[in-house]
Amino acid sequence: MKAPPQLRTVTHFIGGSFAAEGTERFGDVFDPALGEVQARVAFADEAAVDAAVRAASDAFPKWSRMSLGKRAEVLFGFRERLRARAQEFAQIVSSEHGKIVTDAAGEVARALEVVDFACNLPHLLKGELSESVSTNVDTYSLRQPVGVCAGITPFNFPMMVPVWMLAPALAAGNTFVLKPSERDPSASLLIAKLLQESGLPDGVLNVVHGDKVAVDALLGHPLVNAVSFVGSTPIARYIYETAAKNGKRVQALGGAKNHLVVMPDADLDAAADALVSSAYGSAGQRCMAISACVSVGSSAEPLLERVVDRIAKLRVGPGHDKSNDMGPVVTPAARERILRYIESGVTEGAALLADGRTLRVAGYENGFFVGPTLFDKTTQNMQIYRDEIFGPVLVNVRARTLDEALAIVNANPYGNGTSIFTRSGAAARTFESEVQAGMVGINVPIPVPVGYYSFGGWKASLFGDLHVYGPDGFRFYTRGKVVTARWHESNAGMNLGFPTHS
Ligand code: NAD
């Protein structure tokens, strides 16, 4: 756990100050392409989390009462600073996560969309008013912030996912404690710095790093009112249960096994392009990665031929080199896990059409690389089909009909996103209507909704009801209040009956 002292230390950000004093535990932050530790990150104990939550709680009265226009100004300032420093964000994300720097720039662009939407806060926080619900009586609704909110985020989008949560939360007048992934923690501190420069008062956003100790301290803290989580399904379930038991509102987004169904009438070149981009982009470490293809009828052979051809052309290497298509995976443990899955696929009898196990990248021999891997003739009982591998491994399952393909997708415990490639409107409509997933693509591979819709899955991919960002984000981070008011000089008189309109 302890790293040499000359390494850069990633600190917390509490009450407007960057500090790691008193930290006893640290985690390693790797450069995944070189396979070396590049920094150490402070791990918060209960006292550090308590300090962050108290800073957020102290900052809440002033921030929540600040005029909508002033809060919007802070967000507009943040938006401008994000745009100006987008490249810097991309480099930070690429160096700690491993993804190609152009891919990381895409993550920043999608985060910006969410900030764009949050800048509309004066409009989004409008209530409704009904005049004269009874004689001289009006009724109106308010949306008010919930208080101190906590966000716990995964390694695979270290810039975008924190922004998914904190932009709508802050816009709605809440204060926030972010616990980013300990594997690539630095982007979160640049977010905090830019918000501070944009005029966000100290204490409104706090960042604490760490592991289960920090997370549990947040889940148990009496001053935390709402918890947003994005990460793997077992942890999402734990967060949902624990936070709910402690009386907090909670949304917990989990893992995925996203299917892409290819009908025989589809444009097979477009489908193959989509499969390769989506399965191997970011080395398969996207919650919206397509990790299972369902080829229907005669599509299987010509489709897989095209996929194999495309895989052969992919360039795998360090993320800072824009000419590469795919970088390493995030940690040595992730690499070992993925290699074990490939072994298990071979042992269980799936047909290995592309094998990423032997890949070596010249000059980066210690990097955490796994080459693009493709299995055909996978069955639903195989481990490579059942589990979320979260690496560059695509499995193909063969189906005879659209109904059979739908049954396969719907039997899967996950329900994050799914796509269909077809030229038939009828097939697309049946799929869209009957498939059990939160986000559906038709002739597009990764249907991450734009910032003015919301993002979330079904089944084991989301515990809770509201999705993140967009309109659902504002619903999650506000509480409803309905006021009934009578402003009139005359007295309505005494009446002990249940009030009705008159
Ligand atoms: P993870 O579940 O290991 O970690 C997520 C967060 O939980 C991190 O901040 C981590 O520190 C914390 N955590 C880890 N173990 C914990 C424990 N035992 N108790 C309390 N907190 C704990 O996920 P990851 O590996 O960082 O990210 C990859 C996973 O996230 C994949 O499963 C992926 O599908 C999922 N994901 C889902 C979405 C979505 O929108 N549904 C988006 C991105 C990633």
Side-chain angles (χ1 to χ4, degrees):
M1 202 55 122
K2 293 262 182 197
Q6 70 271 22
L7 286 174
R8 171 173 65 96
T9 298
V10 182
T11 66
H12 308 305
F13 177 74
I14 298 175
S17 305
F18 295 89
E21 278 103 50
T23 301
E24 288 181 358
R25 293 190 309 135
F26 293 86
D28 289 340
V29 181
F30 287 102
D31 175 331
L34 289 172
E36 292 170 358
V37 176
Q38 60 162 310
R40 59 178 201 161
V41 54
F43 273 15
D45 56 12
E46 271 189 31
V49 171
D50 182 58
V53 174
R54 286 184 190 284
S57 178
D58 291 347
F60 178 72
K62 199 166 160 213
W63 177 248
S64 58
R65 287 183 203 130
M66 189 180 274
S67 75
L68 300 179
K70 286 209 170 108
R71 286 214 304 264
E73 262 175 40
V74 173
L75 278 146
F76 273 111
F78 179 50
R79 176 181 182 272
E80 290 317 305
R81 285 171 178 82
L82 274 189
R83 285 170 69 89
R85 313 265 301 254
Q87 201 48 38
E88 193 180 334
F89 268 112
Q91 274 153 4
I92 291 171
V93 168
S94 170
S95 87
E96 293 184 355
H97 174 288
K99 64 176 81 171
I100 307 300
V101 72
T102 43
D103 182 27
E107 155 171 7
V108 181
R110 297 306 301 266
L112 258 166
E113 262 180 24
V114 172
V115 180
D116 288 349
F117 184 75
C119 286
N120 292 314
L121 69 98
H123 174 70
L124 291 161
L125 294 171
K126 279 181 191 162
E128 292 176 317
L129 187 146
S130 300
E131 193 182 20
S132 299
V133 293
S134 188
T135 307
N136 296 325
V137 175
D138 304 327
T139 289
Y140 47 95
S141 63
L142 311 175
R143 302 283 328 169
Q144 296 190 319
V146 296
V148 178
C149 303
I152 300 150
T153 53
F155 82 86
N156 65 325
F157 285 107
M159 193 272 168
M160 180 179 77
V161 173
V163 172
W164 278 3
M165 299 173 183
L166 63 86
L170 300 182
N174 301 281
T175 55
F176 206 86
V177 180
L178 171 67
K179 206 303 283 174
S181 171
E182 65 276 33
R183 293 180 220 163
D184 42 16
S186 298
S188 64
L189 293 184
L190 185 53
I191 292 172
K193 183 167 180 285
L194 298 193
L195 273 163
Q196 191 176 48
E197 286 173 16
S198 309
L200 191 77
D202 290 347
V204 175
L205 172 68
N206 306 274
V207 182
V208 287
H209 300 287
D211 54 5
K212 182 171 167 53
V213 172
V215 172
D216 284 345
L218 283 169
L219 299 181
H221 203 296
L223 293 177
V224 171
N225 294 327
V227 176
S228 299
F229 173 86
V230 174
S232 60
T233 288
I235 312 296
R237 188 179 279 121
Y238 167 75
I239 301 278
Y240 184 71
E241 289 171 0
T242 312
K245 198 168 66 198
N246 292 338
K248 305 176 193 318
R249 71 169 54 184
V250 47
Q251 54 178 186
L253 282 73
K257 192 84 180 178
N258 302 309
H259 295 67
L260 186 145
V261 173
V262 182
M263 298 299 289
D265 67 353
D267 175 339
L268 293 183
D269 284 313
D273 285 340
L275 276 170
V276 171
S277 314
S278 175
Y280 306 121
S282 198
Q285 301 168 114
R286 291 184 188 137
C287 56
M288 292 298 275
I290 295 294
S291 47
C293 174
V294 185
S295 52
V296 177
S298 59
S299 72
E301 307 291 341
L303 176 71
L304 294 176
E305 260 170 41
R306 285 167 167 82
V307 173
V308 169
D309 279 355
R310 283 160 173 77
I311 286 176
K313 292 180 192 134
L314 291 182
R315 284 174 53 105
V316 184
H320 63 76
D321 181 347
K322 289 181 190 163
S323 68
N324 287 323
D325 299 300
M326 198 182 104
V329 297
V330 67
T331 56
R335 182 169 184 275
E336 289 311 311
R337 189 195 67 240
I338 296 161
L339 295 179
R340 275 199 303 276
Y341 272 113
I342 301 175
E343 281 302 328
S344 92
V346 173
T347 311
E348 288 186 299
L352 185 57
L353 303 188
D355 183 356
R357 288 175 295 181
T358 52
L359 176 96
R360 294 287 169 273
V361 178
Y364 295 87
E365 285 76 8
N366 295 326
F368 313 140
F369 291 97
V370 182
T373 299
L374 175 66
F375 281 104
D376 185 24
K377 302 195 176 148
T378 311
T379 55
Q380 285 166 277
N381 57 350
M382 291 180 183
Q383 221 189 349
I384 49 167
Y385 174 80
R386 289 200 320 266
D387 294 359
E388 179 185 41
I389 300 175
F390 221 57
V393 181
L394 174 65
V395 304
N396 183 56
V397 185
R398 295 181 181 222
R400 280 166 299 191
T401 60
L402 175 60
D403 283 349
E404 208 175 289
L406 263 168
I408 291 170
V409 181
N410 288 345
N412 194 278
Y414 296 104
N416 212 35
T418 184
S419 290
I420 186 168
F421 272 66
T422 180
R423 287 192 170 97
S424 156
R429 192 174 184 285
T430 300
F431 184 78
E432 163 203 310
S433 167
E434 292 182 17
V435 79
Q436 291 175 23
M439 294 167 285
V440 178
I442 297 172
N443 295 322
V444 295
I446 315 179
V448 176
V450 286
Y452 36 98
Y453 283 77
S454 300
F455 180 108
W458 286 17
K459 303 196 283 186
S461 296
L462 171 71
F463 301 92
D465 50 358
L466 292 172
H467 291 187
V468 280
Y469 70 76
D472 267 12
F474 274 81
R475 281 180 204 115
F476 182 77
Y477 292 119
T478 53
R479 290 186 285 200
K481 188 182 269 181
V482 179
V483 181
T484 301
R486 183 174 182 278
W487 285 106
H488 199 263
E489 294 303 327
S490 72
N491 183 351
M494 196 158 63
N495 179 355
L496 272 63
F498 196 62
T500 56
H501 65 85
S502 54

